[in-house]
Amino acid sequence: PVHRRRRAMAKRGPKQRRSKPPAKLLKLQSELPTKGQYHNLLAIYNKVNRQYFAGKIRARISWGRKPHRPQRHHQNIRFGYVIIEDRKIIIHRALDCSWVPRFFVESIVFHEMLHIKYPPYKKGGSNKIHYAEFLMAEKKFPNYAKAMRWEEKNLYRLLFC
């Protein structure tokens, strides 16, 4: 069970933690929803991993759950997140729209993959998530500026998806 694995990992020192997830976790990728109506997350993940991480990131990727009730207007949106312990990347379904360009989805997947390469840590009682090294790596994404401009122009529209 997951709780046993987490407890076992917590008992090990930081240097003893596994750098790769158990093979069992990676096999479960086929069970996760990756094909959207407009974007295939697994294809995007594989491309980004190969191009920018030399294929070294080991994680699973999935679309988030479909809402069970009609969406209402939100003031913010989290495009993606990572469950570090499970090495699982979740991408918001609002990005699976015909008008959302692939380069933008790639930038979100790249950002979430960086969280695996540069995991959060605690320092002085606070969590360091987007620290300097992370932010420098994020800006190396070729379409970073283009993606930021697209997000700024289209954020309001994404809030209603």
Side-chain angles (χ1 to χ4, degrees):
V2 173
H3 68 280
R4 286 188 191 148
R5 186 173 54 239
R6 286 187 187 143
R7 237 185 288 139
M9 287 176 69
K11 287 180 184 177
R12 298 181 199 139
K15 291 182 180 178
Q16 294 174 326
R17 287 197 174 146
R18 293 183 201 158
S19 60
K20 292 183 181 180
K24 185 170 89 174
L25 283 180
L26 294 177
K27 288 180 185 173
L28 296 176
Q29 175 63 59
S30 61
E31 299 171 12
L32 297 173
T34 58
K35 283 190 179 177
Q37 191 171 354
Y38 299 97
H39 298 288
N40 181 335
L41 287 179
L42 189 56
I44 291 171
Y45 167 86
N46 287 333
K47 177 191 174 201
V48 170
N49 195 15
R50 192 174 49 254
Q51 243 179 330
Y52 306 109
F53 298 97
K56 292 182 181 176
I57 301 292
R58 297 283 179 248
R60 299 176 298 150
I61 192 163
S62 174
W63 289 109
R65 285 181 281 153
K66 291 181 181 175
H68 359 302
R69 58 192 146 144
Q71 289 292 83
R72 50 183 211 277
H73 173 67
H74 295 283
Q75 292 182 345
N76 58 30
I77 184 170
R78 183 163 44 160
F79 296 127
Y81 64 94
V82 177
I83 304 169
I84 297 284
E85 309 84 48
D86 296 337
R87 298 177 78 92
K88 184 176 175 184
I89 298 168
I90 308 293
I91 303 297
H92 198 292
R93 284 197 179 264
L95 300 183
D96 189 31
C97 293
S98 61
W99 51 271
V100 176
R102 183 179 169 109
F103 75 83
F104 186 73
V105 180
E106 286 176 1
S107 75
I108 300 301
V109 171
F110 179 80
H111 175 95
E112 300 309 330
M113 291 172 80
L114 283 176
H115 282 296
I116 293 170
K117 184 173 181 178
Y118 301 102
Y121 66 93
K122 284 190 183 261
K123 183 178 180 182
S126 64
N127 288 327
K128 303 295 180 186
I129 299 169
H130 296 120
Y131 43 95
E133 195 176 13
F134 179 98
L135 295 172
M136 286 186 339
E138 184 177 37
K139 288 178 182 170
K140 290 180 182 174
F141 185 69
N143 286 320
Y144 176 78
K146 185 178 177 184
M148 292 301 102
R149 283 191 307 273
W150 189 90
E151 178 182 339
E152 195 174 305
K153 280 183 175 178
N154 294 280
L155 181 59
Y156 189 76
R157 193 174 174 193
L158 286 165
L159 291 172
F160 287 96
C161 280

